[in-house]
């Protein structure tokens, strides 16, 4: 065993030395080499095909890793979205279902890329190393064949002088064996290399079609999912604009820390003080007129063709403009003003009314009748004016205006016919060009600092 193993090693070393010597002589041009132009062309095609397949495999492996990373990130993102989207919001259950659908799409997409694209690509590239080994073996056998051919030529030249037929016969046998071994491998490769090169077309067609089809299906289905998610959020935005999810204001006497609701239908706005019958204590907070005060929401805009329905709505509108005054205080102020006007009309001195009544009952009755007529007429005019223009009692009149107000909150217009202002701006309330266009809770005014004209919410201001 030891001798046979040593003999094999010696034979292998001798064979490698002979090949190295033959290659050196060929490179130096001392001996010729067997050339095969057709095989060289096949070899160039093989090397290019192997290089391209190896690069495609490398890039696709990297793509698969990125897809799986995005799949994990998408799952985490959807979990965070479903956690943020509160259960009381519209479409919460639908959003959860769409998030699950998105996760399933990612799993199916990743599975198709791995099983139907990556595995066939790996199988395709695994055949190149085996063919490469056969090509290298064919190269070694070609060197052995050239070496035996050159040795036989030298043997023939020397044997002609010595007439050694035995060596010539042995040399011819070794040459024939080396040639036969080389030609077998060479013939196989002449068949395999072109077939392998031609197979690339059908493989890439099938592989790329599978890839593109999986991509198209995934993006089409995911687009539908995101369209559903967008519809859910659009519905939530619409309901939010209607005030469906607005926090309710705190009760009277409690600190207001949430966004107040608009003062509609006679309800007190967030900056209204305590009712007259409620004694003010140190625990009752007062609303400061600063920029830090929560801004009330503007009342909803009605259709321009809908005027106020009744005097009761006008009274409610007055209360929404100046919530400090109640209906009783309005009546008291009206009576006081009318009494003062009657005294001015008839020049009745202060404190002389009782004396005049005692001296002349007929004159008193006449004055009472006149007072009643004037009072009825004035009250009727005030109610009509309040119905149309919502003029609060006690407001300061300005030239060319119904009265003046001061902004207690900042307001930014949302339509072109509205008026923007900051806290403290003075606005002259004027009549609507068309009284039928007046909307409940909204006034028409001119900002004194810029002379801009437009509509504005009444609960953002206070009469002065």
């Amino acid at each position: 065993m030891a001798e046979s193993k040593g003999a094999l090693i010696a034979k292998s070393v001798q064979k490698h030395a002979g090949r190295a010597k033959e290659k050196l002589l060929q490179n130096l041009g001392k001996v010729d080499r067997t050339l095969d132009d057709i095989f060289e062309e096949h070899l160039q095609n093989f090397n290019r095909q192997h290089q391209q397949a190896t690069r495609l495999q490398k890039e696709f492996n990297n793509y698969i890793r990125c897809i799986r990373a995005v799949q994990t990130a998408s799952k985490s993102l959807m979990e965070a979205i479903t956690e943020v989207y509160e259960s009381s919001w519209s479409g919460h259950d639908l959003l959860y279902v769409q998030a699950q659908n998105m996760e399933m799409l990612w799993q199916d997409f990743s599975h198709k890329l791995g099983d139907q694209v990556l595995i066939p690509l790996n199988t395709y590239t695994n055949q190149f190393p085996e063919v490469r080994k056969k090509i290298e073996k064919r190269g070694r056998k070609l060197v052995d064949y050239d070496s035996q051919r050159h040795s036989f030529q030298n043997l023939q030249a020397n044997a002609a002088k010595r007439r050694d037929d035995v060596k010539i016969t042995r040399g011819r046998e070794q040459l024939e064996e080396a040639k036969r071994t080389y030609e077998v491998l060479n013939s196989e490769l002449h068949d395999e290399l072109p077939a392998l090169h031609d197979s690339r077309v059908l493989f890439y067609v099938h592989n790329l079609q599978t890839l593109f089809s999986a991509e198209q299906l995934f993006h089409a289905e995911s687009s539908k999912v995101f369209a559903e998610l967008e519809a859910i959020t659009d519905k939530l935005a619409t309901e939010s604009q209607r005030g469906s999810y607005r926090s309710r204001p705190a009760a009277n006497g409690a600190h207001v820390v949430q966004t107040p609701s608009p003062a509609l239908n006679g309800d007190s706005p967030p900056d209204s003080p305590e009712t007259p019958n409620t004694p003010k204590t140190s625990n009752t907070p007062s609303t400061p007129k600063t920029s830090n005060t929560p801004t009330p929401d503007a009342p909803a805009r009605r259709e321009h063709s809908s005027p106020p329905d009744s005097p009761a709505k006008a009274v409610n509108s007055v209360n929404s403009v100046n919530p400090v005054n109640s209906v009783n205080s309005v009546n008291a102020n009206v009576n006081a003003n009318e009494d003062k006007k009657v005294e001015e009309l008839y020049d009745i001195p202060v404190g002389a009314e009782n004396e005049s009544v005692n001296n002349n009952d007929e004159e008193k009755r006449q004055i009472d009748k006149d007072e009643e007529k004037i009072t009825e007429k004035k009250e009727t005019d005030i109610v009509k004016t309040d119905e149309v223009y919502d003029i609060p009692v006690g407001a300061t009149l300005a030239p060319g205006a119904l009265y003046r107000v001061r902004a207690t909150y900042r307001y930014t217009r949302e339509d072109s016919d509205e008026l923007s202002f900051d806290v403290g701006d003075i606005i002259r309330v004027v009549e609507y060009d068309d009284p039928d266009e007046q909307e409940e809770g909204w006034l028409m005014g001119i900002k004194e600092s810029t002379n801009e004209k437009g509509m504005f919410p009444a609960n953002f201001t206070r009469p002065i």
Side-chain angles (χ1 to χ4, degrees):
M1 291 292 297
E3 294 178 356
S4 61
K5 186 175 181 181
L8 291 175
I9 295 175
K11 185 177 180 180
S12 176
V13 171
Q14 182 180 3
K15 186 180 295 186
H16 283 82
R19 290 171 182 169
K21 178 181 178 182
E22 181 67 23
K23 287 182 179 180
L24 179 60
L25 293 175
Q26 290 178 356
N27 293 333
L28 294 176
K30 301 294 184 180
V31 294
D32 58 348
R33 68 174 67 183
T34 302
L35 299 178
D36 190 344
D37 295 336
I38 297 177
F39 180 82
E40 292 297 330
E41 182 179 354
H42 294 333
L43 182 60
Q44 291 178 1
N45 293 335
F46 172 82
N47 291 333
R48 182 167 56 252
Q49 183 182 2
H50 187 196
Q51 182 181 2
Q52 294 172 349
T54 302
R55 180 184 178 187
L56 179 61
Q57 182 188 33
K58 176 183 177 182
E59 296 300 333
F60 194 78
N61 278 321
N62 183 50
Y63 183 73
I64 284 287
R65 286 193 294 269
C66 294
I67 288 294
R68 290 168 180 169
V70 176
Q71 177 185 357
T72 304
S74 176
K75 181 179 180 181
S76 301
L77 176 61
M78 286 301 173
E79 290 176 353
I81 291 176
T82 53
E83 182 179 352
V84 168
Y85 203 95
E86 299 180 6
S87 58
S88 60
W89 291 356
S90 173
H92 176 268
D93 295 337
L94 294 177
L95 184 137
Y96 177 79
V97 171
Q98 296 300 331
Q100 296 298 317
N101 292 338
M102 196 66 209
E103 182 179 353
M104 293 177 61
L105 288 175
W106 274 111
Q107 291 177 353
D108 183 66
F109 181 51
S110 177
H111 177 75
K112 285 184 176 180
L113 292 182
D115 292 350
Q116 301 180 17
V117 180
L118 182 60
I119 291 179
L121 181 60
N122 291 336
T123 304
Y124 174 74
T125 54
N126 287 337
Q127 62 185 333
F128 290 99
E130 296 296 329
V131 178
R132 176 71 65 183
K133 291 180 180 179
K134 185 176 289 189
I135 292 174
E136 292 175 354
K137 183 177 181 181
R138 182 256 183 196
R140 294 193 298 268
K141 296 304 179 181
L142 177 59
V143 173
D144 292 342
Y145 168 66
D146 287 339
S147 178
Q148 290 295 333
R149 183 166 56 84
H150 296 148
S151 298
F152 182 72
Q153 291 175 355
N154 293 333
L155 183 62
Q156 282 181 331
N158 296 329
K161 300 177 182 180
R162 298 179 183 178
R163 298 180 179 180
D164 193 348
D165 296 335
V166 177
K167 290 184 178 181
I168 293 176
T169 303
R170 186 182 301 174
R172 182 179 292 109
E173 292 177 354
Q174 292 177 351
L175 175 62
E176 293 294 335
E177 182 181 358
K179 181 180 180 180
R180 185 170 52 253
T181 303
Y182 160 72
E183 287 181 349
V184 170
L185 289 175
N186 188 60
S187 178
E188 291 179 357
L189 290 175
H190 270 273
D191 295 335
E192 292 180 6
L193 291 181
L196 178 61
H197 186 254
D198 294 339
S199 68
R200 74 194 190 284
V201 179
L202 293 179
F203 169 76
Y204 286 139
V205 167
H206 178 73
N207 198 254
L208 296 180
Q209 280 182 344
T210 305
L211 170 63
F212 300 151
S213 175
E215 290 277 0
Q216 188 272 338
L217 179 62
F218 169 74
H219 291 293
E221 294 298 326
S222 62
S223 177
K224 296 178 182 178
V225 171
F226 284 114
E228 293 293 335
L229 293 174
E230 184 180 10
I232 293 172
T233 53
D234 286 343
K235 184 177 180 181
L236 177 65
T238 302
E239 295 184 358
S240 176
Q241 292 176 355
R242 295 174 181 173
S244 302
Y245 305 101
R246 187 174 292 113
S247 302
R248 297 182 180 274
N252 291 337
H255 291 280
V256 179
V257 296
Q258 296 175 336
T259 303
S261 300
L264 296 176
N265 299 327
D267 296 336
S268 298
D271 57 346
S272 61
E274 300 77 16
T275 57
N277 295 330
T278 304
K280 185 175 182 181
T281 63
S282 60
N283 294 329
T284 303
S286 60
T287 305
K289 299 179 180 180
T290 63
S291 60
N292 295 328
T293 305
T295 304
D297 295 329
R301 295 282 295 272
R302 302 183 307 172
E303 294 295 329
H304 294 297
S305 60
S306 176
D309 295 332
S310 64
K313 288 186 177 180
V315 173
N316 290 335
S317 178
V318 170
N319 290 335
S320 66
V321 175
N322 190 1
V324 180
N325 296 322
S326 63
V327 175
N328 294 331
S329 63
V330 170
N331 294 334
N333 289 333
V334 169
N335 293 335
N337 291 336
E338 294 307 321
D339 292 341
K340 182 177 180 181
K341 291 180 179 179
V342 170
E343 291 176 359
E344 293 176 354
L345 179 62
Y346 293 97
D347 295 334
I348 301 176
V350 178
E353 183 178 356
N354 294 332
E355 182 180 355
S356 175
V357 171
N358 293 330
N359 293 335
N360 193 343
D361 294 338
E362 184 177 356
E363 183 179 357
K364 180 178 179 301
R365 287 193 296 271
Q366 184 65 32
I367 292 174
D368 292 338
K369 292 179 180 180
D370 294 338
E371 288 179 357
E372 291 177 359
K373 292 180 180 180
I374 295 173
T375 302
E376 291 177 358
K377 183 177 183 300
K378 293 298 183 180
E379 288 179 352
T380 302
D381 293 340
I382 290 174
V383 171
K384 291 181 178 179
T385 304
D386 289 345
E387 289 179 359
V388 180
Y389 300 109
D390 296 342
I391 300 177
V393 177
T396 303
L397 297 178
L402 300 177
Y403 58 96
R404 302 166 70 208
V405 296
R406 185 188 303 278
T408 55
Y409 300 96
R410 180 181 180 182
Y411 179 73
T412 302
R413 68 180 185 180
E414 298 179 355
D415 293 327
S416 59
D417 60 345
E418 295 180 7
L419 183 66
S420 299
F421 49 79
D422 295 324
V423 177
D425 286 348
I426 305 299
I427 304 172
R428 298 195 301 272
V429 180
V430 299
E431 299 178 358
Y432 279 78
D433 296 336
D434 185 358
D436 291 340
E437 295 182 354
Q438 182 179 7
E439 299 182 4
E440 183 176 355
W442 290 79
L443 299 174
M444 179 68 70
I446 299 175
K447 188 164 64 173
E448 292 188 352
S449 59
T450 61
N451 287 329
E452 296 181 32
K453 182 178 180 181
M455 299 174 60
F456 63 92
N459 60 339
F460 280 64
T461 63
R462 184 181 297 279
I464 58 176

